[in-house]
């Protein structure tokens, strides 16, 4: 059986996931790797690593530690990227398990809507090679939210560590979480978002397949005239797929700016995409890759 990597921070969510997976009849201890990434953002983080390593020994499973020196005040995106780079480096054939739960899903959707990500903001937490057991029904009859996780931890008397950065309002997620706690959703409302999420993931898959089929062959110039009459959302989907194919990850506002440049820029002018990629707009066409 292929290995599975459990991303364990030491917090209650990942410790409950660890306990459930290790107690499951579907997995043996030899199949499991507990992975912990020390971001190096606070002095106390080394104690989290020691705690998780000790728990790995108790459960009798392999432990892997990754270390970063990101420093205090690092943004969430940088920390997440470093963490996943480490997780993927452990075993390219393994499946990564994370402890995202129903409340995380609701928060992520809300954050994306605040950021104006468009319809894709509802099709989140859908990366290939990553499983989120609390959002699946394989081990449980229904997805688990924070309340269910805390109840399980209490019944099993699980030990865990609390990350102090969870209370810092410097992070958008924490600010939004604190606001939502003032008027929390009930489980039925969370499940409505969950069902929308499932439907949107399926829709995203179908749209991605269609868009890829419409892309010109790699190295073929794009005709600027196409974008004058093309539906805005279709144009943005095509530009998103083509920039990703060229190794460029752009936000929706950046893609909107690119579309406007294609339509309006004078011949010879360049548009700056993320990663320092400059696209020269010729009189009739332009090239991305």
């Amino acid at each position: 059986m292929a290995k599975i990597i459990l991303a364990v921070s030491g917090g209650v969510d990942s410790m409950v996931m660890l306990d459930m997976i290790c107690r499951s009849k579907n997995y043996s201890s030899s199949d499991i790797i507990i992975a912990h990434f020390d971001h190096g953002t606070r002095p106390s983080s080394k104690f989290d690593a020691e705690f998780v390593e000790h728990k790995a020994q108790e459960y009798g499973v392999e432990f892997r530690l990754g270390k970063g020196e990101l420093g205090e005040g690092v943004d969430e995106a940088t920390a997440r990227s470093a963490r996943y780079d480490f997780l993927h480096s452990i075993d390219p054939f393994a499946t990564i398990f994370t402890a995202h739960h129903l409340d995380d899903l609701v928060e992520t959707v809300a954050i994306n809507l605040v950021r104006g990500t468009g319809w894709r903001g509802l099709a989140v937490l859908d990366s290939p090679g990553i499983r989120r057991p609390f959002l699946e029904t394989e081990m449980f009859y229904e997805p688990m939210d924070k309340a269910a996780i805390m109840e399980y931890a209490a019944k099993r008397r699980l030990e865990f560590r609390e990350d102090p950065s969870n209370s810092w309002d410097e992070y958008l997620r924490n600010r939004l979480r604190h606001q939502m706690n003032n008027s929390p959703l009930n489980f039925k409302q969370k499940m409505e978002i969950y069902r929308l999420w499932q439907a949107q993931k399926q829709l995203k898959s179908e749209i991605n397949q269609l868009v890829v089929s419409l892309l010109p062959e790699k190295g073929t110039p794009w005709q600027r005239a196409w974008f004058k009459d093309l539906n805005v959302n279709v144009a943005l989907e095509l530009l998103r797929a083509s920039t990703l194919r060229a190794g460029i990850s752009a936000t929706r506002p950046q893609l909107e700016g690119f579309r406007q440049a294609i339509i309006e820029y004078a011949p010879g002018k360049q548009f700056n995409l993320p990663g320092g990629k400059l696209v020269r707009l010729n009189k009739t066409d332009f090239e991305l890759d």
Side-chain angles (χ1 to χ4, degrees), residues 127-159:
S127 302
I130 298 177
R131 288 185 56 184
R132 298 172 173 85
F134 293 144
L135 294 175
E136 299 176 0
T137 55
E138 178 183 298
M139 297 180 64
F140 325 108
Y141 290 110
E142 58 188 4
M144 291 182 70
D145 62 3
K146 189 72 170 188
I149 288 171
M150 294 300 295
E151 181 181 358
Y152 181 97
K155 286 181 177 179
R156 291 280 300 148
R157 297 183 180 181
L158 298 181
E159 295 180 300

PDB file of all heavy atoms in Angstrom, residues 127-159:
ATOM      1  N   SER A 127      -6.945  20.251  -4.035  1.00  0.00           N
ATOM      2  CA  SER A 127      -5.651  20.026  -4.684  1.00  0.00           C
ATOM      3  C   SER A 127      -5.412  18.539  -4.912  1.00  0.00           C
ATOM      4  O   SER A 127      -5.691  17.717  -4.022  1.00  0.00           O
ATOM      5  CB  SER A 127      -4.516  20.589  -3.825  1.00  0.00           C
ATOM      6  OG  SER A 127      -4.709  21.965  -3.583  1.00  0.00           O
ATOM      7  N   PRO A 128      -4.879  18.161  -6.080  1.00  0.00           N
ATOM      8  CA  PRO A 128      -4.582  16.742  -6.348  1.00  0.00           C
ATOM      9  C   PRO A 128      -3.567  16.192  -5.353  1.00  0.00           C
ATOM     10  O   PRO A 128      -2.638  16.888  -4.938  1.00  0.00           O
ATOM     11  CB  PRO A 128      -3.990  16.776  -7.761  1.00  0.00           C
ATOM     12  CG  PRO A 128      -4.459  18.063  -8.362  1.00  0.00           C
ATOM     13  CD  PRO A 128      -4.565  19.029  -7.234  1.00  0.00           C
ATOM     14  N   GLY A 129      -3.761  14.941  -4.947  1.00  0.00           N
ATOM     15  CA  GLY A 129      -2.810  14.295  -4.044  1.00  0.00           C
ATOM     16  C   GLY A 129      -2.983  14.653  -2.588  1.00  0.00           C
ATOM     17  O   GLY A 129      -2.172  14.233  -1.749  1.00  0.00           O
ATOM     18  N   ILE A 130      -4.014  15.417  -2.269  1.00  0.00           N
ATOM     19  CA  ILE A 130      -4.266  15.817  -0.882  1.00  0.00           C
ATOM     20  C   ILE A 130      -5.676  15.400  -0.489  1.00  0.00           C
ATOM     21  O   ILE A 130      -6.641  15.681  -1.197  1.00  0.00           O
ATOM     22  CB  ILE A 130      -4.093  17.333  -0.687  1.00  0.00           C
ATOM     23  CG1 ILE A 130      -2.655  17.736  -0.993  1.00  0.00           C
ATOM     24  CG2 ILE A 130      -4.462  17.739   0.737  1.00  0.00           C
ATOM     25  CD1 ILE A 130      -2.394  19.213  -0.894  1.00  0.00           C
ATOM     26  N   ARG A 131      -5.777  14.714   0.646  1.00  0.00           N
ATOM     27  CA  ARG A 131      -7.079  14.320   1.171  1.00  0.00           C
ATOM     28  C   ARG A 131      -7.357  15.044   2.483  1.00  0.00           C
ATOM     29  O   ARG A 131      -6.431  15.341   3.238  1.00  0.00           O
ATOM     30  CB  ARG A 131      -7.143  12.814   1.381  1.00  0.00           C
ATOM     31  CG  ARG A 131      -7.204  12.016   0.087  1.00  0.00           C
ATOM     32  CD  ARG A 131      -7.380  10.537   0.364  1.00  0.00           C
ATOM     33  NE  ARG A 131      -8.558  10.272   1.181  1.00  0.00           N
ATOM     34  CZ  ARG A 131      -8.881   9.058   1.632  1.00  0.00           C
ATOM     35  NH1 ARG A 131      -8.106   8.019   1.346  1.00  0.00           N
ATOM     36  NH2 ARG A 131      -9.959   8.879   2.367  1.00  0.00           N
ATOM     37  N   ARG A 132      -8.620  15.285   2.714  1.00  0.00           N
ATOM     38  CA  ARG A 132      -9.064  15.969   3.929  1.00  0.00           C
ATOM     39  C   ARG A 132     -10.156  15.121   4.566  1.00  0.00           C
ATOM     40  O   ARG A 132     -11.336  15.307   4.270  1.00  0.00           O
ATOM     41  CB  ARG A 132      -9.548  17.375   3.589  1.00  0.00           C
ATOM     42  CG  ARG A 132      -8.402  18.214   2.999  1.00  0.00           C
ATOM     43  CD  ARG A 132      -8.869  19.553   2.454  1.00  0.00           C
ATOM     44  NE  ARG A 132      -7.723  20.363   2.070  1.00  0.00           N
ATOM     45  CZ  ARG A 132      -7.106  20.297   0.891  1.00  0.00           C
ATOM     46  NH1 ARG A 132      -7.534  19.444  -0.017  1.00  0.00           N
ATOM     47  NH2 ARG A 132      -6.074  21.069   0.621  1.00  0.00           N
ATOM     48  N   PRO A 133      -9.763  14.167   5.425  1.00  0.00           N
ATOM     49  CA  PRO A 133     -10.719  13.180   5.932  1.00  0.00           C
ATOM     50  C   PRO A 133     -11.913  13.770   6.673  1.00  0.00           C
ATOM     51  O   PRO A 133     -12.991  13.178   6.660  1.00  0.00           O
ATOM     52  CB  PRO A 133      -9.871  12.293   6.856  1.00  0.00           C
ATOM     53  CG  PRO A 133      -8.630  13.082   7.129  1.00  0.00           C
ATOM     54  CD  PRO A 133      -8.399  13.928   5.933  1.00  0.00           C
ATOM     55  N   PHE A 134     -11.740  14.931   7.309  1.00  0.00           N
ATOM     56  CA  PHE A 134     -12.872  15.533   8.018  1.00  0.00           C
ATOM     57  C   PHE A 134     -13.936  16.064   7.054  1.00  0.00           C
ATOM     58  O   PHE A 134     -15.058  16.364   7.474  1.00  0.00           O
ATOM     59  CB  PHE A 134     -12.410  16.678   8.927  1.00  0.00           C
ATOM     60  CG  PHE A 134     -11.560  16.240  10.084  1.00  0.00           C
ATOM     61  CD1 PHE A 134     -10.507  17.027  10.522  1.00  0.00           C
ATOM     62  CD2 PHE A 134     -11.811  15.043  10.738  1.00  0.00           C
ATOM     63  CE1 PHE A 134      -9.724  16.625  11.603  1.00  0.00           C
ATOM     64  CE2 PHE A 134     -11.027  14.637  11.809  1.00  0.00           C
ATOM     65  CZ  PHE A 134      -9.979  15.431  12.242  1.00  0.00           C
ATOM     66  N   LEU A 135     -13.585  16.198   5.776  1.00  0.00           N
ATOM     67  CA  LEU A 135     -14.543  16.663   4.775  1.00  0.00           C
ATOM     68  C   LEU A 135     -15.019  15.526   3.882  1.00  0.00           C
ATOM     69  O   LEU A 135     -15.687  15.754   2.884  1.00  0.00           O
ATOM     70  CB  LEU A 135     -13.921  17.771   3.919  1.00  0.00           C
ATOM     71  CG  LEU A 135     -13.610  19.072   4.651  1.00  0.00           C
ATOM     72  CD1 LEU A 135     -12.892  20.056   3.725  1.00  0.00           C
ATOM     73  CD2 LEU A 135     -14.882  19.711   5.199  1.00  0.00           C
ATOM     74  N   GLU A 136     -14.671  14.307   4.250  1.00  0.00           N
ATOM     75  CA  GLU A 136     -15.087  13.140   3.497  1.00  0.00           C
ATOM     76  C   GLU A 136     -16.105  12.337   4.306  1.00  0.00           C
ATOM     77  O   GLU A 136     -16.314  12.595   5.485  1.00  0.00           O
ATOM     78  CB  GLU A 136     -13.871  12.253   3.179  1.00  0.00           C
ATOM     79  CG  GLU A 136     -12.814  12.945   2.336  1.00  0.00           C
ATOM     80  CD  GLU A 136     -11.585  12.072   2.123  1.00  0.00           C
ATOM     81  OE1 GLU A 136     -11.573  10.927   2.645  1.00  0.00           O
ATOM     82  OE2 GLU A 136     -10.647  12.526   1.452  1.00  0.00           O
ATOM     83  N   THR A 137     -16.701  11.355   3.654  1.00  0.00           N
ATOM     84  CA  THR A 137     -17.648  10.481   4.350  1.00  0.00           C
ATOM     85  C   THR A 137     -17.138   9.053   4.413  1.00  0.00           C
ATOM     86  O   THR A 137     -17.879   8.142   4.766  1.00  0.00           O
ATOM     87  CB  THR A 137     -19.022  10.514   3.646  1.00  0.00           C
ATOM     88  OG1 THR A 137     -18.850  10.167   2.267  1.00  0.00           O
ATOM     89  CG2 THR A 137     -19.653  11.885   3.747  1.00  0.00           C
ATOM     90  N   GLU A 138     -15.861   8.855   4.069  1.00  0.00           N
ATOM     91  CA  GLU A 138     -15.299   7.509   4.086  1.00  0.00           C
ATOM     92  C   GLU A 138     -15.201   6.969   5.510  1.00  0.00           C
ATOM     93  O   GLU A 138     -15.529   5.814   5.781  1.00  0.00           O
ATOM     94  CB  GLU A 138     -13.906   7.517   3.455  1.00  0.00           C
ATOM     95  CG  GLU A 138     -13.228   6.151   3.474  1.00  0.00           C
ATOM     96  CD  GLU A 138     -11.829   6.178   2.905  1.00  0.00           C
ATOM     97  OE1 GLU A 138     -11.680   6.500   1.718  1.00  0.00           O
ATOM     98  OE2 GLU A 138     -10.881   5.887   3.645  1.00  0.00           O
ATOM     99  N   MET A 139     -14.752   7.838   6.441  1.00  0.00           N
ATOM    100  CA  MET A 139     -14.577   7.405   7.824  1.00  0.00           C
ATOM    101  C   MET A 139     -15.751   7.809   8.712  1.00  0.00           C
ATOM    102  O   MET A 139     -15.944   7.267   9.790  1.00  0.00           O
ATOM    103  CB  MET A 139     -13.280   7.990   8.391  1.00  0.00           C
ATOM    104  CG  MET A 139     -12.024   7.517   7.682  1.00  0.00           C
ATOM    105  SD  MET A 139     -10.526   8.220   8.392  1.00  0.00           S
ATOM    106  CE  MET A 139     -10.559   7.506  10.043  1.00  0.00           C
ATOM    107  N   PHE A 140     -16.530   8.790   8.260  1.00  0.00           N
ATOM    108  CA  PHE A 140     -17.614   9.320   9.074  1.00  0.00           C
ATOM    109  C   PHE A 140     -18.886   9.386   8.232  1.00  0.00           C
ATOM    110  O   PHE A 140     -18.838   9.411   7.011  1.00  0.00           O
ATOM    111  CB  PHE A 140     -17.270  10.724   9.592  1.00  0.00           C
ATOM    112  CG  PHE A 140     -15.815  10.892   9.915  1.00  0.00           C
ATOM    113  CD1 PHE A 140     -14.992  11.661   9.105  1.00  0.00           C
ATOM    114  CD2 PHE A 140     -15.255  10.267  11.007  1.00  0.00           C
ATOM    115  CE1 PHE A 140     -13.642  11.809   9.383  1.00  0.00           C
ATOM    116  CE2 PHE A 140     -13.907  10.406  11.293  1.00  0.00           C
ATOM    117  CZ  PHE A 140     -13.096  11.171  10.483  1.00  0.00           C
ATOM    118  N   TYR A 141     -20.015   9.443   8.904  1.00  0.00           N
ATOM    119  CA  TYR A 141     -21.279   9.538   8.185  1.00  0.00           C
ATOM    120  C   TYR A 141     -21.479  10.918   7.582  1.00  0.00           C
ATOM    121  O   TYR A 141     -22.162  11.085   6.581  1.00  0.00           O
ATOM    122  CB  TYR A 141     -22.444   9.207   9.116  1.00  0.00           C
ATOM    123  CG  TYR A 141     -22.494   7.751   9.502  1.00  0.00           C
ATOM    124  CD1 TYR A 141     -22.196   7.348  10.795  1.00  0.00           C
ATOM    125  CD2 TYR A 141     -22.825   6.777   8.570  1.00  0.00           C
ATOM    126  CE1 TYR A 141     -22.227   6.003  11.156  1.00  0.00           C
ATOM    127  CE2 TYR A 141     -22.864   5.435   8.914  1.00  0.00           C
ATOM    128  CZ  TYR A 141     -22.566   5.054  10.210  1.00  0.00           C
ATOM    129  OH  TYR A 141     -22.592   3.724  10.547  1.00  0.00           O
ATOM    130  N   GLU A 142     -20.890  11.929   8.181  1.00  0.00           N
ATOM    131  CA  GLU A 142     -21.020  13.288   7.689  1.00  0.00           C
ATOM    132  C   GLU A 142     -19.742  14.050   8.016  1.00  0.00           C
ATOM    133  O   GLU A 142     -18.964  13.635   8.882  1.00  0.00           O
ATOM    134  CB  GLU A 142     -22.227  13.984   8.321  1.00  0.00           C
ATOM    135  CG  GLU A 142     -22.183  14.044   9.844  1.00  0.00           C
ATOM    136  CD  GLU A 142     -23.474  14.573  10.441  1.00  0.00           C
ATOM    137  OE1 GLU A 142     -24.423  14.815   9.671  1.00  0.00           O
ATOM    138  OE2 GLU A 142     -23.535  14.738  11.668  1.00  0.00           O
ATOM    139  N   PRO A 143     -19.480  15.176   7.329  1.00  0.00           N
ATOM    140  CA  PRO A 143     -18.275  15.963   7.623  1.00  0.00           C
ATOM    141  C   PRO A 143     -18.234  16.403   9.084  1.00  0.00           C
ATOM    142  O   PRO A 143     -19.282  16.561   9.724  1.00  0.00           O
ATOM    143  CB  PRO A 143     -18.416  17.163   6.682  1.00  0.00           C
ATOM    144  CG  PRO A 143     -19.306  16.695   5.594  1.00  0.00           C
ATOM    145  CD  PRO A 143     -20.270  15.749   6.232  1.00  0.00           C
ATOM    146  N   MET A 144     -17.043  16.624   9.589  1.00  0.00           N
ATOM    147  CA  MET A 144     -16.874  17.032  10.989  1.00  0.00           C
ATOM    148  C   MET A 144     -16.550  18.520  11.066  1.00  0.00           C
ATOM    149  O   MET A 144     -15.720  19.022  10.298  1.00  0.00           O
ATOM    150  CB  MET A 144     -15.766  16.224  11.656  1.00  0.00           C
ATOM    151  CG  MET A 144     -16.110  14.769  11.875  1.00  0.00           C
ATOM    152  SD  MET A 144     -14.789  13.848  12.725  1.00  0.00           S
ATOM    153  CE  MET A 144     -14.870  14.553  14.390  1.00  0.00           C
ATOM    154  N   ASP A 145     -17.194  19.207  12.001  1.00  0.00           N
ATOM    155  CA  ASP A 145     -16.855  20.601  12.248  1.00  0.00           C
ATOM    156  C   ASP A 145     -16.015  20.686  13.517  1.00  0.00           C
ATOM    157  O   ASP A 145     -15.665  19.663  14.132  1.00  0.00           O
ATOM    158  CB  ASP A 145     -18.110  21.476  12.325  1.00  0.00           C
ATOM    159  CG  ASP A 145     -19.050  21.081  13.466  1.00  0.00           C
ATOM    160  OD1 ASP A 145     -18.711  20.153  14.242  1.00  0.00           O
ATOM    161  OD2 ASP A 145     -20.124  21.704  13.586  1.00  0.00           O
ATOM    162  N   LYS A 146     -15.675  21.889  13.923  1.00  0.00           N
ATOM    163  CA  LYS A 146     -14.797  22.077  15.082  1.00  0.00           C
ATOM    164  C   LYS A 146     -15.415  21.508  16.350  1.00  0.00           C
ATOM    165  O   LYS A 146     -14.720  20.905  17.176  1.00  0.00           O
ATOM    166  CB  LYS A 146     -14.516  23.575  15.271  1.00  0.00           C
ATOM    167  CG  LYS A 146     -13.445  23.880  16.322  1.00  0.00           C
ATOM    168  CD  LYS A 146     -12.063  23.507  15.817  1.00  0.00           C
ATOM    169  CE  LYS A 146     -10.969  24.008  16.737  1.00  0.00           C
ATOM    170  NZ  LYS A 146      -9.625  23.806  16.154  1.00  0.00           N
ATOM    171  N   ALA A 147     -16.728  21.671  16.511  1.00  0.00           N
ATOM    172  CA  ALA A 147     -17.394  21.173  17.712  1.00  0.00           C
ATOM    173  C   ALA A 147     -17.260  19.660  17.816  1.00  0.00           C
ATOM    174  O   ALA A 147     -16.990  19.112  18.899  1.00  0.00           O
ATOM    175  CB  ALA A 147     -18.868  21.587  17.705  1.00  0.00           C
ATOM    176  N   ALA A 148     -17.438  18.950  16.703  1.00  0.00           N
ATOM    177  CA  ALA A 148     -17.328  17.492  16.709  1.00  0.00           C
ATOM    178  C   ALA A 148     -15.888  17.061  16.998  1.00  0.00           C
ATOM    179  O   ALA A 148     -15.657  16.063  17.698  1.00  0.00           O
ATOM    180  CB  ALA A 148     -17.786  16.933  15.371  1.00  0.00           C
ATOM    181  N   ILE A 149     -14.931  17.807  16.485  1.00  0.00           N
ATOM    182  CA  ILE A 149     -13.519  17.496  16.727  1.00  0.00           C
ATOM    183  C   ILE A 149     -13.175  17.680  18.203  1.00  0.00           C
ATOM    184  O   ILE A 149     -12.503  16.837  18.815  1.00  0.00           O
ATOM    185  CB  ILE A 149     -12.627  18.383  15.843  1.00  0.00           C
ATOM    186  CG1 ILE A 149     -12.744  17.925  14.379  1.00  0.00           C
ATOM    187  CG2 ILE A 149     -11.166  18.338  16.298  1.00  0.00           C
ATOM    188  CD1 ILE A 149     -12.086  18.853  13.387  1.00  0.00           C
ATOM    189  N   MET A 150     -13.649  18.771  18.798  1.00  0.00           N
ATOM    190  CA  MET A 150     -13.393  19.023  20.213  1.00  0.00           C
ATOM    191  C   MET A 150     -14.056  17.953  21.080  1.00  0.00           C
ATOM    192  O   MET A 150     -13.489  17.525  22.096  1.00  0.00           O
ATOM    193  CB  MET A 150     -13.905  20.408  20.597  1.00  0.00           C
ATOM    194  CG  MET A 150     -13.168  21.565  19.934  1.00  0.00           C
ATOM    195  SD  MET A 150     -11.401  21.617  20.314  1.00  0.00           S
ATOM    196  CE  MET A 150     -11.427  21.940  22.077  1.00  0.00           C
ATOM    197  N   GLU A 151     -15.246  17.520  20.682  1.00  0.00           N
ATOM    198  CA  GLU A 151     -15.943  16.472  21.435  1.00  0.00           C
ATOM    199  C   GLU A 151     -15.158  15.164  21.388  1.00  0.00           C
ATOM    200  O   GLU A 151     -15.008  14.481  22.409  1.00  0.00           O
ATOM    201  CB  GLU A 151     -17.347  16.275  20.857  1.00  0.00           C
ATOM    202  CG  GLU A 151     -18.166  15.218  21.592  1.00  0.00           C
ATOM    203  CD  GLU A 151     -19.546  15.025  20.994  1.00  0.00           C
ATOM    204  OE1 GLU A 151     -19.889  15.743  20.034  1.00  0.00           O
ATOM    205  OE2 GLU A 151     -20.283  14.142  21.476  1.00  0.00           O
ATOM    206  N   TYR A 152     -14.631  14.819  20.198  1.00  0.00           N
ATOM    207  CA  TYR A 152     -13.831  13.602  20.068  1.00  0.00           C
ATOM    208  C   TYR A 152     -12.572  13.701  20.931  1.00  0.00           C
ATOM    209  O   TYR A 152     -12.205  12.737  21.633  1.00  0.00           O
ATOM    210  CB  TYR A 152     -13.449  13.401  18.605  1.00  0.00           C
ATOM    211  CG  TYR A 152     -12.627  12.153  18.344  1.00  0.00           C
ATOM    212  CD1 TYR A 152     -13.233  10.984  17.900  1.00  0.00           C
ATOM    213  CD2 TYR A 152     -11.242  12.148  18.529  1.00  0.00           C
ATOM    214  CE1 TYR A 152     -12.485   9.837  17.642  1.00  0.00           C
ATOM    215  CE2 TYR A 152     -10.491  11.009  18.292  1.00  0.00           C
ATOM    216  CZ  TYR A 152     -11.109   9.863  17.852  1.00  0.00           C
ATOM    217  OH  TYR A 152     -10.352   8.728  17.626  1.00  0.00           O
ATOM    218  N   ALA A 153     -11.894  14.856  20.883  1.00  0.00           N
ATOM    219  CA  ALA A 153     -10.668  15.039  21.659  1.00  0.00           C
ATOM    220  C   ALA A 153     -10.932  14.886  23.152  1.00  0.00           C
ATOM    221  O   ALA A 153     -10.123  14.304  23.883  1.00  0.00           O
ATOM    222  CB  ALA A 153     -10.062  16.409  21.357  1.00  0.00           C
ATOM    223  N   ALA A 154     -12.075  15.404  23.605  1.00  0.00           N
ATOM    224  CA  ALA A 154     -12.419  15.309  25.028  1.00  0.00           C
ATOM    225  C   ALA A 154     -12.699  13.861  25.432  1.00  0.00           C
ATOM    226  O   ALA A 154     -12.233  13.387  26.480  1.00  0.00           O
ATOM    227  CB  ALA A 154     -13.626  16.190  25.319  1.00  0.00           C
ATOM    228  N   LYS A 155     -13.438  13.145  24.581  1.00  0.00           N
ATOM    229  CA  LYS A 155     -13.770  11.753  24.894  1.00  0.00           C
ATOM    230  C   LYS A 155     -12.535  10.871  24.932  1.00  0.00           C
ATOM    231  O   LYS A 155     -12.419   9.959  25.766  1.00  0.00           O
ATOM    232  CB  LYS A 155     -14.769  11.216  23.870  1.00  0.00           C
ATOM    233  CG  LYS A 155     -16.188  11.760  24.037  1.00  0.00           C
ATOM    234  CD  LYS A 155     -17.125  11.151  23.006  1.00  0.00           C
ATOM    235  CE  LYS A 155     -18.557  11.647  23.212  1.00  0.00           C
ATOM    236  NZ  LYS A 155     -19.486  11.068  22.189  1.00  0.00           N
ATOM    237  N   ARG A 156     -11.594  11.154  24.030  1.00  0.00           N
ATOM    238  CA  ARG A 156     -10.377  10.345  23.953  1.00  0.00           C
ATOM    239  C   ARG A 156      -9.262  10.899  24.843  1.00  0.00           C
ATOM    240  O   ARG A 156      -8.189  10.322  24.941  1.00  0.00           O
ATOM    241  CB  ARG A 156      -9.885  10.305  22.499  1.00  0.00           C
ATOM    242  CG  ARG A 156     -10.774   9.522  21.554  1.00  0.00           C
ATOM    243  CD  ARG A 156     -10.535   8.031  21.661  1.00  0.00           C
ATOM    244  NE  ARG A 156      -9.144   7.705  21.327  1.00  0.00           N
ATOM    245  CZ  ARG A 156      -8.447   6.704  21.867  1.00  0.00           C
ATOM    246  NH1 ARG A 156      -9.005   5.934  22.772  1.00  0.00           N
ATOM    247  NH2 ARG A 156      -7.207   6.489  21.495  1.00  0.00           N
ATOM    248  N   ARG A 157      -9.541  12.044  25.482  1.00  0.00           N
ATOM    249  CA  ARG A 157      -8.560  12.705  26.357  1.00  0.00           C
ATOM    250  C   ARG A 157      -7.229  12.921  25.641  1.00  0.00           C
ATOM    251  O   ARG A 157      -6.147  12.619  26.157  1.00  0.00           O
ATOM    252  CB  ARG A 157      -8.363  11.892  27.641  1.00  0.00           C
ATOM    253  CG  ARG A 157      -9.628  11.776  28.482  1.00  0.00           C
ATOM    254  CD  ARG A 157      -9.371  11.029  29.780  1.00  0.00           C
ATOM    255  NE  ARG A 157     -10.587  10.928  30.571  1.00  0.00           N
ATOM    256  CZ  ARG A 157     -10.679  10.341  31.768  1.00  0.00           C
ATOM    257  NH1 ARG A 157      -9.585   9.773  32.296  1.00  0.00           N
ATOM    258  NH2 ARG A 157     -11.814  10.299  32.420  1.00  0.00           N
ATOM    259  N   LEU A 158      -7.338  13.464  24.440  1.00  0.00           N
ATOM    260  CA  LEU A 158      -6.144  13.686  23.631  1.00  0.00           C
ATOM    261  C   LEU A 158      -5.402  14.941  24.083  1.00  0.00           C
ATOM    262  O   LEU A 158      -6.009  15.956  24.423  1.00  0.00           O
ATOM    263  CB  LEU A 158      -6.533  13.832  22.159  1.00  0.00           C
ATOM    264  CG  LEU A 158      -7.210  12.626  21.499  1.00  0.00           C
ATOM    265  CD1 LEU A 158      -7.494  12.937  20.027  1.00  0.00           C
ATOM    266  CD2 LEU A 158      -6.348  11.375  21.610  1.00  0.00           C
ATOM    267  N   GLU A 159      -4.099  14.855  24.039  1.00  0.00           N
ATOM    268  CA  GLU A 159      -3.260  16.018  24.310  1.00  0.00           C
ATOM    269  C   GLU A 159      -3.009  16.770  23.006  1.00  0.00           C
ATOM    270  O   GLU A 159      -2.887  16.163  21.944  1.00  0.00           O
ATOM    271  CB  GLU A 159      -1.917  15.582  24.909  1.00  0.00           C
ATOM    272  CG  GLU A 159      -2.025  14.925  26.267  1.00  0.00           C
ATOM    273  CD  GLU A 159      -0.670  14.514  26.798  1.00  0.00           C
ATOM    274  OE1 GLU A 159       0.006  13.699  26.112  1.00  0.00           O
ATOM    275  OE2 GLU A 159      -0.270  15.007  27.865  1.00  0.00           O
TER     276      GLU A 159
END
